[in-house]
Each structure stands twice: as structure tokens, then as C-alpha cells.
Amino acid sequence: MKPKRRSLKQIGLFLLYTFSITWLCWLIIIIGNRYFNALWYGEPLFWIPNLIGGLGPAISSYIIYRQFKEDFCEESFVGFVFGKKLDRKVWLIFGLFSFWRLFMIWISFGIKNPISILSLVINLPLLIIGGGLEELGWRGILQPKLEKVVNYLPSVLIVGIIWSIWHLPLWFIKGTVQTSFPFGLYLFSVIIVSSSFTTLYKYTNNLFFCILSHAWFNGCIGLALYIGNNGALQLNLNWKVIIVFSFELIVSVILGIAYTRKKYLLFNTRK
């Protein structure tokens, strides 16, 4: 089978597995809410289908890895997650990326309380399980496979759109963070972070850093949604938010294109 066709097959199967697992679980919650007055957001039983649904991309990435193991350079799934040996440059890139998130919410939303930041750090393990592990699928499988079919920029856009649509059922579950966003705004923000996480993955070649960064981002947005609004589930948008996110999009796209071109030139030189 030709490489492009094989990548398309892997993309199709990954999306089939991911959407089937996630949407089925979240549909159970929606049905429970609407017809049985059960599984309301925050209840103990709610978290079981919600968590399994959120792990859809991670579960699917493992299935694809096992199904097409010969296409992966890593000998184990652990190697697939943690990538190459870490050096100072990789840690520096990750550190700058994490610092930018804190700077973003400080500038955009005015979150300055040290206790707020401490709560983010304490809750990081939960944020990894409840969001960060998605990166095993989006950046680990979908993005690199898609780049073998289309160019870098279209692939980032497509992943952002798919990622947003994957979250769609959450707008029908009262209490979720997504219900505080208009879908169009959410779509735009996901495309931005899709570009950021893709760039981070390219420069670190480490999915675990993407997992941590995704969890860190969710925590930062959580601070803006709750602590920044005295517990209200609401995102106050202002010109600072627009400037900060626009800056992130521009920088991540430039760095992503630069990396992609460098790899392309290097590959052609070796040929």
C-alpha cells in the first residue's frame, strides 16, 4: 500500500475509533440528563462516562499504534509517548511555553493571586487525565499522519476543526466549560492552540510535553473562567485577550513553517 493511502487509512480508523468511543460515552450523559434526571455534571456517576469519553483519542492512539506498529520508529508505546532523550534545549522550549501560559492569563485576565497558581499545580495530575492525554491522539497520530497527505498549514487547520467538532456533544451537557463559549469562538481558539501544540511537538519531539502543556493550558483557562469571575462560568473577552491569542497564533505558525521548511531542505539535501 502506498504511504499516502496508508496514512489516510490510519487517519480514518483513528477518527472512527475516537469519535465512536467519545460520542457514545457523552451521548449516555446527554440521555441520562434529558430522560432520566441522572448523570448531572459533578455527580459521581457523571465522571465515569465523561472520563472514558475524554480518553477516546488516547485509547484510539494506542489501538493505531498496535495495529500499525511497523510504521512507528519507537519499539514501545512508552517510547512513542516520551520520544527522544531530553536535553537542555527541549526543557528550555517547554519552560518558555509553560511560562507563556501564565503570562497569558496574567496579562489577559488579570490572574495574579499566587494561591490560584498553586491550585493549578496541585490539580495538574487531574488535568492530565481529564484533557492532556488527548494529545496522544491529536499530536501523536492525527497531525503527523495528516501532514503526509496535505501540507503543514492545512493540516493544522483540519486538526483544529476536527478537534473542535469532537467536543461538540459537551455543548449539550449543562455545566461543562464549553457551554460558556460560542462554538465559533471555541473553534477559533482550538485552531490557535492546535498550532501551538503542533509547534511544541515539532521542536521537542516529545508527546509527554504536549500532554503537560495541554493540561497546563486547560488549568490556565480554568483560572480565567472561575477564579477570574468569582466562581462564575464565564470568559470575559477583551482586547488584551485578542492580542495575546493573535500573537500566539502568528508566532506558532511562523515557527512551525520554519521547522517544516528546515526539515524539507535537510531531507532533499540528503537525497
Side-chain angles (χ1 to χ4, degrees):
M1 185 181 295
K2 293 182 179 180
K4 186 173 287 188
R5 287 184 60 189
R6 192 170 180 83
S7 294
L8 282 172
K9 180 180 179 180
Q10 291 170 5
I11 291 168
L13 288 173
F14 169 76
L15 293 177
L16 176 63
Y17 301 151
T18 298
F19 277 81
S20 297
I21 294 169
T22 300
W23 281 20
L24 177 61
C25 290
W26 290 349
L27 181 61
I28 291 172
I29 297 174
I30 294 170
I31 292 173
N33 288 176
R34 297 201 172 189
Y35 298 104
F36 299 98
N37 193 29
L39 299 177
W40 293 106
Y41 184 88
E43 292 181 356
L45 286 178
F46 163 85
W47 297 109
I48 298 174
N50 182 66
L51 178 60
I52 296 173
L55 290 173
I59 296 170
S60 300
S61 70
Y62 181 74
I63 296 173
I64 294 296
Y65 175 85
R66 298 295 301 178
Q67 192 171 351
F68 299 92
K69 192 172 181 179
E70 65 276 9
D71 292 346
F72 293 87
C73 300
E74 300 82 1
E75 295 183 0
S76 67
F77 191 71
V78 173
F80 170 70
V81 175
F82 289 95
K84 66 180 182 180
K85 185 178 179 180
L86 304 180
D87 54 26
R88 291 182 180 179
K89 180 182 177 181
V90 172
W91 281 108
L92 177 61
I93 292 170
F94 173 69
L96 290 172
F97 196 85
S98 301
F99 176 77
W100 164 253
R101 288 287 171 232
L102 291 178
F103 183 75
M104 177 189 75
I105 61 170
W106 174 52
I107 293 295
S108 302
F109 303 106
I111 307 296
K112 304 176 182 178
N113 192 337
I115 299 299
S116 302
I117 308 302
L118 180 61
S119 69
L120 194 163
V121 175
I122 292 173
N123 289 315
L124 194 60
L126 294 176
L127 293 168
I128 289 173
I129 297 171
L133 289 176
E134 292 176 26
E135 291 302 306
L136 294 177
W138 306 131
R139 245 55 60 184
I141 301 294
L142 185 57
Q143 181 69 44
K145 298 301 178 184
L146 199 55
E147 283 191 44
K148 293 182 179 180
V149 180
V150 297
N151 293 330
Y152 165 71
L153 281 179
S155 69
V156 171
L157 181 62
I158 293 170
V159 171
I161 293 171
I162 292 173
W163 189 8
S164 300
I165 294 173
W166 175 78
H167 284 93
L168 199 56
L170 295 179
W171 269 267
F172 299 93
I173 301 174
K174 187 177 180 181
T176 62
V177 170
Q178 282 71 21
T179 57
S180 65
F181 287 83
F183 181 76
L185 176 62
Y186 186 84
L187 171 63
F188 180 64
S189 64
V190 168
I191 290 173
I192 292 174
V193 295
S194 176
S195 175
S196 297
F197 293 151
T198 299
T199 300
L200 177 67
Y201 183 48
K202 284 182 178 296
Y203 279 89
T204 62
N205 193 29
N206 192 289
L207 273 176
F208 186 66
F209 277 160
C210 290
I211 292 170
L212 288 178
S213 296
H214 188 142
W216 190 251
F217 174 81
N218 285 359
C220 288
I221 292 298
L223 292 181
L225 282 168
Y226 293 100
I227 296 176
N229 294 288
N230 298 318
L233 187 64
Q234 180 182 350
L235 188 65
N236 292 328
L237 299 175
N238 53 61
W239 63 270
K240 293 180 182 179
V241 176
I242 296 172
I243 290 176
V244 166
F245 272 90
S246 298
F247 176 77
E248 179 171 333
L249 177 62
I250 293 169
V251 171
S252 63
V253 167
I254 291 173
L255 290 175
I257 291 174
Y259 183 91
T260 303
R261 287 184 175 177
K262 181 180 178 181
K263 284 291 183 181
Y264 177 78
L265 292 172
L266 184 63
F267 176 77
N268 285 330
T269 300
R270 288 178 177 176
K271 290 175 71 175

